[in-house]
């Protein structure tokens, strides 16, 4: 069977990583969460007190940074210079700053190069904002996942409560909408549906239904 590339893009908290992980597991493919790479850089830059507006400072940090993504029991493990930062990169401060880091052209160019290297051998499910448009434009399956802001905030809220994290639905809705705006309006590789991508609105769908749709598209192509 052919080992293809599956690109999953969409706005914040649309459920991309949840379904990407399940699809990758079903196919025994590798799963690459590209958002985690931007988050890892953001975390390191904040820790070093860098100016997130300065492309030069960010590039200096990135050029001396190793980011590894490994499969773990409960999701992807993110190693930053060999240290597990899987939890730290989900902190509110990182979430609210990452879109500013991801706006810089040189940062994106380097990240895209690293992401393409991860996908070199095929058999990959990659999620992000520019996978179908820039990182893997020749991906055999391209999906654009959507859901209303209300639904996405509600899902994140439920997830936070289950994990015992403090959570406020209104704040989540504002944060998600703000991040979508920056990601969609930036000059370099903005969030948008790739040509040939299949749009799936997950507002009224279960995780299983979304997985089934993507598996259906995939099985047609392998
Ligand atoms: O997917 P996640 O929400 O973790 O991504 C965090 C942020 O990283 C996004 O809001 C976006 O600013 C940036 N990102 C990006 N391009 C990608 C993946 C993520 O710009 N391919």
């Amino acid at each position: 069977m052919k080992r293809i590339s599956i690109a999953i893009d969409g706005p914040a908290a649309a459920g991309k990583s949840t379904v990407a992980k399940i699809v990758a597991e079903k196919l025994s493919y590798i799963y690459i969460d590209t958002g985690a790479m931007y988050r890892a850089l953001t975390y390191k830059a904040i820790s070093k007190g860098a100016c997130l507006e300065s492309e030069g400072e960010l590039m200096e940090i990135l050029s001396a940074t190793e980011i590894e993504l490994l499969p773990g029991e409960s999701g992807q493990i993110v190693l930053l210079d060999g240290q597990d930062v899987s939890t730290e990169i989900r902190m509110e401060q990182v979430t609210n700053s990452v879109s500013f880091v991801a706006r810089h052209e040189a940062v994106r160019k380097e990240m895209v190069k690293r992401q393409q290297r991860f996908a070199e051998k095929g058999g990959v499910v990659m999620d992000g904002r520019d996978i179908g448009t820039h990182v893997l434009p020749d991906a055999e399956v391209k999906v654009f996942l959507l859901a209303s802001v209300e639904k996405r905030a509600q899902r994140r809220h439920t997830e936070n409560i289950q994990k015992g994290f403090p959570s406020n639905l209104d704040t989540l809705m504002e944060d998600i909408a703000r991040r979508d705006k920056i990601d969609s309006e930036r000059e370099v590789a903005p969030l948008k549906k790739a040509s040939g991508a299949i749009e799936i609105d997950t507002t009224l769908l279960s995780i299983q239904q979304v997985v089934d749709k993507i598996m259906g598209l995939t099985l047609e192509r392998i």
Side-chain angles (χ1 to χ4, degrees), residues 21 25 31 70-77 86-87 90 163:
K21 235 175 288 171
E25 242 171 59
Y31 163 56
L70 308 173
E73 288 279 293
S74 55
Q76 187 136 74
I77 295 172
S86 315
T87 308
R90 306 286 159 197
K163 287 180 185 160

Side-chain angles (χ1 to χ4, degrees), residues 37-54 57-62 65 80-81 85 87-102:
M37 298 172 70
Y38 290 97
R39 285 173 178 271
L41 172 63
T42 304
Y43 173 69
K44 186 166 175 180
I46 292 173
S47 310
K48 285 185 163 294
C51 169
L52 305 188
E53 292 293 313
S54 163
E57 276 186 49
L58 292 171
M59 283 311 290
E60 203 179 314
I61 296 172
L62 182 56
T65 298
L80 175 65
D81 300 323
V85 293
T87 308
E88 289 82 347
I89 62 165
R90 306 286 159 197
M91 288 184 322
E92 203 181 331
Q93 197 189 1
V94 175
T95 301
N96 290 335
S97 307
V98 60
S99 292
F100 296 102
V101 170

